[in-house]
Amino acid sequence: MPFATINGLRLVYDVRGQGIPVLWIHGFPLGRWLWDPQVHALADIARSIAVDLRGFGGSSAPEGPYTMETYAADLRGLLDTLGVDRVVLAGLSMGGYVAFAFYAAYPERVRALILADTRHQADTPEARANRYALIERIRAEGTPVAVEAFLPRLFGATTQQERPELVETLRRKMLTNPAAGLIGALQAMAERPDRTELLPSIQVPTLVIVGEEDAVAPPDLARQMAEGIPRARLVVIPRAGHLANVEAPEAFNEAVRAFLRELEA
Ligand code: MLT
């Protein structure tokens, strides 16, 4: 497992393929494995870097607090270590929150954005309170509580009905995340800023992708986000929920491939 030492932490990552550098940022409570269906299928057009954020998978899980800005600084350090100047930044859900923080801090390092199943708005007070309640339960009972809390919301109805084995496979992977990292991430999500005002200042080509059955970051919200970003386009993926890239990889990859081709042209 390749890793880099960034900001005193071990960050595990994979690099695969040839072409436009794409940095893939996973959501919660996931890991770099989320992007397996992309890094393999797009290996002829993208040089994919998929990383475990601090606190996930094989990366170090220091005590918090974590913020979206610390994740973004880790990623910038990783790009520096790999000698990659500008990337296409692709984030799903929490990965999108990190991508917004990265763009806000280091816009010169971003060639384009892919914002999948994510939200530009901050948490409501109720959502924030739920996260802190979940943190207390994780402190008492560990990682499985977080996985069981999120699992039903991550997949669309079609996947839940037709592909229970996919849900089960991903559940097992989610369970490998350390509790300290999940607590840090929930705190970071609870305290993340609203990005509504950032949207009109985003100058790079942006692909907004959403599963049509996404209940966490629904298509209406994705539409609003795409309308707010000057050079954005929206693609809605049929029969997919919040994890559109694993639920409907072919449609997802087709949208990404078309987007990367245009960047290359
Ligand atoms: C994610 O998929 O990263 C989370 O569902 C995002 C969130 O809880 O806001």
Side-chain angles (χ1 to χ4, degrees):
M1 254 185 338
F3 70 92
T5 304
I6 310 289
N7 299 329
L9 305 177
R10 171 191 153 104
L11 287 191
V12 171
Y13 65 92
D14 299 311
V15 181
R16 191 185 179 100
Q18 305 282 334
I20 304 178
V22 181
L23 177 59
W24 301 96
I25 318 170
H26 63 79
F28 180 96
L30 311 167
R32 69 188 198 288
W33 46 263
L34 174 74
W35 301 108
D36 287 350
Q38 281 64 54
V39 300
H40 292 274
L42 298 169
D44 59 319
I45 190 168
R47 179 177 178 224
S48 284
I49 306 159
V51 59
D52 284 338
L53 292 171
R54 65 165 67 197
F56 291 87
S59 291
S60 306
E63 289 300 310
Y66 298 6
T67 63
M68 293 303 152
E69 287 69 28
T70 48
Y71 292 127
D74 291 345
L75 297 182
R76 198 204 56 171
L78 178 64
L79 293 183
D80 290 346
T81 300
L82 297 177
V84 177
D85 181 19
R86 293 178 79 218
V87 281
V88 177
L89 206 55
L92 182 133
S93 200
M94 189 185 94
Y97 311 157
V98 177
F100 282 131
F102 189 104
Y103 187 84
Y106 320 111
E108 71 286 354
R109 305 296 293 268
V110 181
R111 179 166 175 189
L113 283 169
I114 299 174
L115 300 170
D117 297 284
T118 192
R119 312 171 65 93
H120 54 284
Q121 295 154 337
D123 275 2
T124 61
E126 189 194 350
R128 193 170 298 134
N130 287 340
R131 297 211 201 264
Y132 281 108
L134 183 57
I135 286 174
E136 288 316 311
R137 292 183 56 214
I138 299 172
R139 282 196 213 285
E141 297 167 54
T143 294
V145 181
V147 174
E148 296 319 319
F150 273 76
L151 200 66
R153 310 188 311 143
L154 294 180
F155 296 92
T158 305
T159 303
Q160 300 207 32
Q161 279 155 23
E162 296 180 8
R163 298 172 69 197
E165 72 293 346
L166 177 65
V167 178
E168 200 38 49
T169 303
L170 267 60
R171 176 211 295 269
R172 281 199 295 272
K173 292 186 178 182
M174 292 178 210
L175 284 169
T176 62
N177 284 314
L182 300 182
I183 290 169
L186 284 164
Q187 233 165 25
M189 289 196 283
E191 301 303 331
R192 76 187 191 279
D194 190 284
R195 298 294 185 185
T196 308
E197 288 184 8
L198 179 73
L199 301 185
S201 73
I202 295 178
Q203 297 303 325
V204 294
T206 300
L207 174 63
V208 177
I209 311 188
V210 65
E212 75 174 339
E213 300 171 5
D214 187 343
V216 180
D220 278 355
L221 196 75
R223 193 161 291 115
Q224 260 182 46
M225 193 189 307
E227 282 168 7
I229 300 174
R231 300 172 66 192
R233 150 194 334 164
L234 173 70
V235 174
V236 180
I237 307 286
R239 293 167 56 79
H242 190 55
L243 302 187
N245 71 306
V246 282
E247 293 179 67
E250 282 164 20
F252 191 97
N253 291 345
E254 195 183 305
V256 172
R257 182 178 286 280
F259 182 68
L260 296 180
R261 279 221 179 97
E262 280 174 35
L263 287 180
E264 260 183 337

